[in-house]
Amino acid sequence: MDATLRAAGPGALGAPSVADDEHPAPGARPGEHRTGPGEHRSRPGEYRRPVVTELRLSAFGPHRSAAFPLGPVTLLAGPSGSGKSQALEAYAALARLASGDVLEEVFPDPEARVPEAARPDGGGRRGFRIGCTVDGPAGPVRLALAVQTEPTLRIAGERLSQEGDVLLATALRDPRRPSVQAAWLTGGATGMTRAPLPGDRLGTALLPLRVAGATAGQRRVLAAAEQVVVALRSVFPCDPRPGRMRAPVPPGEGRLRADCRNLADVLRRTRHECGTRHALLARAAATGCAGPVTGLGVRGAGPAGGAVGSGADAAGGAGGLVAAVLERGAGRPGTEFGRLADGELRFLALALVLLTGPGVLAVDPAAELLSARQALTVLADGLDRGLDRRQYAELLRLALLSGERGHIRLVAAVGEDAAGTARELPGVSVVDLSP
């Protein structure tokens, strides 16, 4: 392995360089990932879906040298100000970068992510560092990223490594250029390939476009990069906003948005296309909503909001809107979602997310891999917000059910009371962020 590549990395950003992020967990060998509590274990002959098994915040907001193991159901707990939301933001940022977004779009307020105590280096530079470990068919792969925020926003260094070998490293060599110098493993007589990469994009996401895969070394780089990109792109940040979920909505493509404001349209679709999961959601609604619940339906509504159809599948006339309804049984009028409490609406939206998948959610997973070979990770800040104990317990049950199947994972921030309840449930990993 090229010694120059091993040493490559950004200069000081008021914090250690990317190279300092390359250390194994205590008691683990380099490149080894220890399966966390409740983590899905592949059976012999089963395809291992690429998943993020560790989030590292080496210098990000209030976090310094922090590493959070992630299982199928992981809850981040701690008091206000402990950095739960910032941890989820870091995960979501990596997901967006893996999807090809540029730094300016991902970090509109980058200075707020720099640790408060970080001091500029001799060149007046400050920044933050984040990373993750992704396990899958290629084995554990580590990604570390250093972002410079001052004097200009750009990537200062990136490192993709596996089993102690650096597969890709980039470094900011000339601040006057908009690019970083990159080197990746080639193998054979060449050893390494060096070329500039854009300084505002994740280099790992660009490798499949730059590496031919003609040598064993190149194929190893491609396998590692594609595994990281697939795992990070399969993310759905979900923050249901009850105030936006009450009004009827226009019929659309039926893919749930992050704020869940089009929940009624999604229920219209799942009722026809996902009968089994729709029935599971209706069963969950009977647990999380007040009064008797026999099903979930939709009604058409006119432009003024008045009902224009009483059937569950009525979608109104041209320009008609769709309203979701809790069905109460024979002889009882249904209850439109506009009349439900905030906690009931949040519960229904989160339950739907945990019971569905990428085809129903507004996400853009990697198209080169079958959806059955991808695991979707739901990020939920304040999972327990507005929920009672019964609703929260039901959501955890659904999350554990989906996590056991391996196709849905949950990483959520919760309050300390909710964390106490979760600690009693086998299969739930609780990460305590208390100072």
Side-chain angles (χ1 to χ4, degrees), residues 46-146:
E46 182 182 10
Y47 181 85
R48 295 169 61 193
R49 297 179 176 92
V51 295
V52 177
T53 55
E54 183 184 57
L55 176 66
R56 294 189 302 280
L57 306 181
S58 303
F60 188 81
H63 301 287
R64 194 69 178 262
S65 301
F68 307 132
L70 305 178
V73 180
T74 304
L75 304 180
L76 306 179
S80 178
S82 60
K84 302 187 296 292
S85 296
Q86 295 232 31
L88 292 179
E89 288 175 12
Y91 195 140
L94 287 172
R96 293 187 60 185
L97 290 170
S99 297
D101 290 356
V102 298
L103 285 177
E104 289 80 1
E105 298 172 348
V106 177
F107 298 106
D109 186 17
E111 290 78 11
R113 307 296 173 254
V114 180
E116 192 173 4
R119 297 290 179 264
D121 65 4
R125 301 192 303 164
R126 293 202 317 154
F128 55 82
R129 293 181 295 112
I130 58 179
C132 65
T133 299
V134 176
D135 204 352
V141 179
R142 294 168 62 90
L143 172 67
L145 180 68

Side-chain angles (χ1 to χ4, degrees), residues 64-371:
R64 194 69 178 262
S65 301
F68 307 132
L70 305 178
V73 180
T74 304
L75 304 180
L76 306 179
S80 178
S82 60
K84 302 187 296 292
S85 296
Q86 295 232 31
L88 292 179
E89 288 175 12
Y91 195 140
L94 287 172
R96 293 187 60 185
L97 290 170
S99 297
D101 290 356
V102 298
L103 285 177
E104 289 80 1
E105 298 172 348
V106 177
F107 298 106
D109 186 17
E111 290 78 11
R113 307 296 173 254
V114 180
E116 192 173 4
R119 297 290 179 264
D121 65 4
R125 301 192 303 164
R126 293 202 317 154
F128 55 82
R129 293 181 295 112
I130 58 179
C132 65
T133 299
V134 176
D135 204 352
V141 179
R142 294 168 62 90
L143 172 67
L145 180 68
V147 176
Q148 171 188 294
T149 61
E150 300 174 15
T152 58
L153 178 64
R154 60 184 306 172
I155 289 178
E158 179 181 347
R159 188 180 294 256
L160 188 71
S161 62
Q162 184 180 41
E163 297 178 348
D165 295 332
V166 178
L167 307 181
L168 164 73
T170 72
L172 176 57
R173 300 299 188 191
D174 187 349
R176 296 169 298 178
R177 296 180 179 274
S179 61
V180 293
Q181 186 62 34
W184 57 85
L185 180 66
T186 305
T190 304
M192 307 301 304
T193 297
R194 290 175 172 80
L197 290 178
D200 61 350
R201 296 179 184 271
L202 188 70
T204 297
L206 300 175
L207 284 179
L209 304 176
R210 302 293 297 268
V211 180
T215 68
Q218 289 179 342
R219 288 190 289 273
R220 183 183 178 192
V221 170
L222 279 176
E226 290 174 353
Q227 177 170 291
V228 169
V229 170
V230 167
L232 286 175
R233 286 184 61 175
S234 302
V235 167
F236 183 65
C238 183
D239 185 16
R241 302 294 182 91
R244 302 177 184 178
M245 298 162 60
R246 300 183 185 282
V249 297
E253 61 178 353
R255 298 185 70 195
L256 190 67
R257 300 182 183 181
D259 62 1
C260 304
R261 65 181 181 270
N262 63 330
L263 178 62
D265 183 45
V266 178
L267 291 175
R268 174 190 60 81
R269 177 187 172 193
T270 60
R271 185 179 180 92
H272 293 285
E273 298 181 11
C274 313
T276 300
R277 293 181 181 179
H278 189 90
L280 289 174
L281 179 61
R283 196 176 307 161
T287 300
C289 297
V293 178
T294 60
L296 294 169
V298 293
R299 292 176 180 166
V308 298
S310 57
D313 299 326
L321 304 178
V322 175
V325 178
L326 282 183
E327 296 171 346
R328 300 297 192 178
R332 287 172 166 265
T335 303
E336 291 197 4
F337 277 25
R339 295 179 175 271
L340 298 182
D342 286 2
E344 291 176 307
L345 288 172
R346 279 183 53 80
F347 169 82
L348 288 169
L350 290 165
L352 172 65
V353 170
L354 293 173
L355 287 171
T356 55
V360 179
L361 308 177
V363 296
D364 184 24
E368 59 271 16
L369 194 64
L370 294 174
S371 59

